[in-house]
Amino acid sequence: MTAFERPAHELPAHESAAHDAVVLAGGAARRLGGADKPGVRVGGRALLDRVLSACAEARTTVVVAEPRPTARPVRWAREEPPGAGPLAALDAGLRHTTADHVVVLSADLPFLAPATVRRLLGALRAGRADGALLTDADGRDQPLVAAYRAHALRRELAALTREHGALTGLPLRRLTTALDLTRVPDHVASFDCDTWDDIATARARIREHGHVLDEWISAVKDELGIDLDVDTGVLLDLARDAAHGVARPAAPLTTFLVGYAAAQGKGGPEAVAQAARKAAALALRWADEDTAEARPDVAPDATPDTRPDAG
């Protein structure tokens, strides 16, 4: 199994009930030389936007950082003082949430997907633990890729504030060691980008054959503001039929027209599939006619004359 293959065992995805999300995006990124880590692009998309896409089902999404342009609307918060550390940032974000369950994420997770967020929420709701977090390839806890019961977070953050007077500078483990946590192994989604080598690894992985199409489609949908899941196999088959049966340029033009037709109709996945089926059938009829023209001009029911002096 390669370093980026998903584990064979995965918890079943549960339907997402109301939940909020808090994304911590205000770190100093010292190991990146102070670069703007949430804005670093992997696969043409900022790391922060990739995380926001993964938690788009949240009722409210709070990003704890200085405001910046993002691919979807979010609520902004800031810890006091700025740079006071992850616990202070988490506390600031929680103040803007109301759901019983809160997904807490860092802004540097290039492979986080909506299914992972649903899996964490499902694991949390399936038991009585205070939270469910991912573990990485080495079995280490990743408390910033997790789903928590909001009341448990508020309870322990309040206790730490009473004990220390403030949350400034306190490490995350002061919080997590006080919580009852369920662990969900996933060394793909838990991969974070702390160094430029990590960034290079992430950029290389999304260009691998098994990932590049999904990554590209996700990037285009984010760029165009489209929230639509379609059967890519249907569209690829249509493009193949149009290219082989008509002409190579017919492939991209046909898929464009299918999308346009679907948008004029219902606009959902079924509208795309229906338009694709019609166009594919046309391409096959077109190809059949071209094949028929290459045959001898003989009636379909004609009987060949096999006499020696025939013709």
Side-chain angles (χ1 to χ4, degrees), residues 146-230:
Y148 297 97
R149 301 188 192 277
H151 72 84
L153 291 179
R154 293 190 175 99
R155 179 192 70 218
E156 296 305 329
L157 288 170
L160 287 169
T161 301
R162 288 193 300 270
E163 180 181 354
H164 298 276
L167 297 171
T168 302
L170 295 180
L172 268 173
R173 64 176 177 274
R174 297 299 298 271
L175 172 69
T176 55
T177 54
L179 297 173
D180 176 22
L181 300 173
T182 295
R183 288 160 176 83
V184 180
D186 189 331
H187 58 270
V188 177
S190 63
F191 180 85
D192 57 2
C193 292
D194 289 328
T195 67
W196 287 113
D197 283 345
D198 294 336
I199 298 282
T201 298
R203 287 172 171 169
R205 184 204 181 242
I206 67 169
R207 286 168 171 77
E208 293 174 0
H209 177 71
H211 309 286
V212 66
L213 282 182
D214 287 341
E215 288 286 348
W216 172 247
I217 290 169
S218 295
V220 172
K221 289 196 297 186
D222 274 3
E223 191 72 15
L224 300 180
I226 298 172
D227 183 17
L228 175 68
D229 290 325
V230 297

Side-chain angles (χ1 to χ4, degrees), residues 240-247 279-295:
R240 179 202 61 208
D241 292 341
H244 292 173
V246 183
L282 175 61
L284 292 176
R285 293 198 303 270
W286 186 290
D288 285 343
E289 288 180 12
D290 184 58
T291 303
E293 289 178 0
R295 298 172 187 151

Side-chain angles (χ1 to χ4, degrees), residues 95-106:
R95 294 177 187 275
H96 296 273
T97 66
T98 57
D100 292 337
H101 299 149
V102 180
V103 176
V104 178
L105 306 167
S106 62

Side-chain angles (χ1 to χ4, degrees), residues 88-132:
L90 176 56
D91 183 62
L94 277 175
R95 294 177 187 275
H96 296 273
T97 66
T98 57
D100 292 337
H101 299 149
V102 180
V103 176
V104 178
L105 306 167
S106 62
D108 61 351
L109 302 165
F111 307 130
L112 187 68
T116 309
V117 174
R118 295 186 203 110
R119 201 161 63 247
L120 285 168
L121 289 165
L124 176 64
R125 293 175 178 131
R128 297 183 178 181
D130 296 322

Side-chain angles (χ1 to χ4, degrees), residues 236-255 279-280 283-284 286:
L236 289 173
D237 287 345
L238 168 60
R240 179 202 61 208
D241 292 341
H244 292 173
V246 183
R248 284 186 179 274
L253 293 173
T254 304
T255 51
L284 292 176
W286 186 290

